Amino acid sequence: MLIVVFVTAEAAVIEAITAKKISLVPPDLRAGGYAALGVDEVVLTAFDTKISNNINDFLNWLNWENASGIVVITDDSMPRLVELLGDHFSVHRFDAPLYGKNIDNFLTSVLTRCLRAFRFFATRFTDKKYQQIFRLPLSNFNAHEIITMREICRDMTRRNYGREIDALLREMRKRQKPKKASDYPDIYLVDDEDKHFKIGPERHAQADTSMPPHNVLCIVSNNMRFGHKFDGATHYNVSRNKDASMRGNYTDCHGNVREHRKDSHINMFTNDFF
């Protein structure tokens, strides 16, 4: 199920979505049971920020746990939404329609751009060789490409996102290499600090989900990346060449710097929990 939600204080937008619902989605994207979008259901809804403009209220309202994808289309009525959720959901900005403009046509135009962006990105994200790039722990993989990736994957409809995403992936794949002086041919993504990242098949470690100390953003960020759900039970094995010590300080899922006291590799999840 793909959830598409407008986050807005505009009554006319909310009323149109409530009345017309899925008929606002362009026919070519509804054809064949949403086959063009790679999902079996699309839910189009709206969150009224006049009732609440609180991020936690929005997340508690949103049925994100049961979704395979989340597209959020927002105006400026919920402070920090793009900042806090732009790495997890497929977030796009929109400006309120001008007075007298046909609301239905306006919404269909916005939905066309956002859903086609989602469709393109889905073809890259669902490819395992690319998903391990998109899923990297954002605070601990030190590379300028991470900054670029976060910019590209927020508000993709206002840029040449397809060309930029593919250029980014080409650059990131240059960081794929085996360990030096190793008997194992495994390929890793290597950051600027020579940390080697590889998603492992192991499920012996799990990201902590107890609340507190964790919050709903910790949970969301280990299940959704740029609008797509992934297997949050798998983690990256983070190590160095020649099994050099991993003892040091790393950023966790709260943005706090914590110490890893062991020499051995780190089990690190997409949300930076370790």
Side-chain angles (χ1 to χ4, degrees), residues 213-215 218 251-256 271:
H214 297 284
N215 56 48
C218 298
T251 304
D252 66 14
C253 55
H254 297 280
N256 298 323
N271 68 346

Side-chain angles (χ1 to χ4, degrees), residues 36-203:
L37 294 171
V39 298
D40 56 10
E41 182 183 4
V42 173
V43 174
L44 177 61
T45 185
F47 184 84
D48 188 348
T49 55
K50 294 192 302 294
I51 296 174
S52 174
N53 65 355
N54 179 274
I55 289 287
N56 286 329
D57 289 345
F58 172 60
L59 290 173
N60 289 332
W61 170 87
L62 185 65
N63 187 25
W64 69 267
E65 300 95 329
N66 295 316
S68 58
I70 301 283
V71 176
V72 177
I73 307 168
T74 184
D75 56 20
D76 295 325
S77 60
M78 184 176 289
R80 301 186 67 202
L81 184 149
V82 177
E83 174 190 348
L84 294 174
L85 300 181
D87 295 330
H88 319 316
F89 301 149
S90 180
V91 177
H92 307 268
R93 297 180 183 86
F94 82 102
D95 297 319
L98 298 174
Y99 178 77
K101 190 169 187 178
N102 185 294
I103 296 294
D104 291 1
N105 290 344
F106 168 81
L107 292 175
T108 294
S109 176
V110 172
L111 285 166
T112 298
R113 296 195 303 273
C114 294
L115 290 174
R116 286 178 178 164
F118 176 89
R119 178 175 64 184
F120 178 88
F121 187 75
T123 63
R124 301 297 185 265
F125 188 85
T126 53
D127 187 323
K128 294 298 184 183
K129 68 178 178 289
Y130 296 139
Q131 187 178 128
Q132 67 174 336
I133 293 172
F134 289 121
R135 274 189 55 185
L136 282 165
L138 298 174
S139 294
N140 286 288
F141 191 90
N142 300 96
H144 70 274
E145 290 94 340
I146 292 295
I147 297 172
T148 302
M149 180 171 72
R150 297 174 82 176
E151 291 175 347
I152 293 171
C153 295
R154 297 182 181 196
D155 207 22
M156 288 187 284
T157 60
R158 300 194 184 192
R159 60 196 312 132
N160 192 337
Y161 64 93
R163 182 181 300 171
E164 292 183 50
I165 286 172
D166 284 346
L168 167 76
L169 291 171
R170 287 193 295 271
E171 289 302 305
M172 285 295 290
R173 294 198 75 189
K174 295 177 182 178
R175 291 181 173 274
Q176 293 179 317
K177 57 191 73 173
K179 284 186 178 179
K180 298 175 184 176
S182 173
D183 294 330
Y184 299 97
D186 295 352
I187 300 298
Y188 299 81
L189 284 159
V190 184
D191 75 358
D192 291 343
E193 296 181 351
D194 200 41
K195 297 195 300 293
H196 288 54
F197 290 72
K198 178 178 174 57
I199 292 181
E202 312 93 344
R203 294 170 182 263

Side-chain angles (χ1 to χ4, degrees), residues 245-250 257-262 266 274:
S245 175
M246 290 302 300
R247 191 183 299 263
N249 296 316
Y250 303 90
V257 176
R258 292 198 298 112
E259 184 180 6
H260 176 71
R261 300 179 180 179
K262 299 179 180 179
I266 304 172
F274 66 94

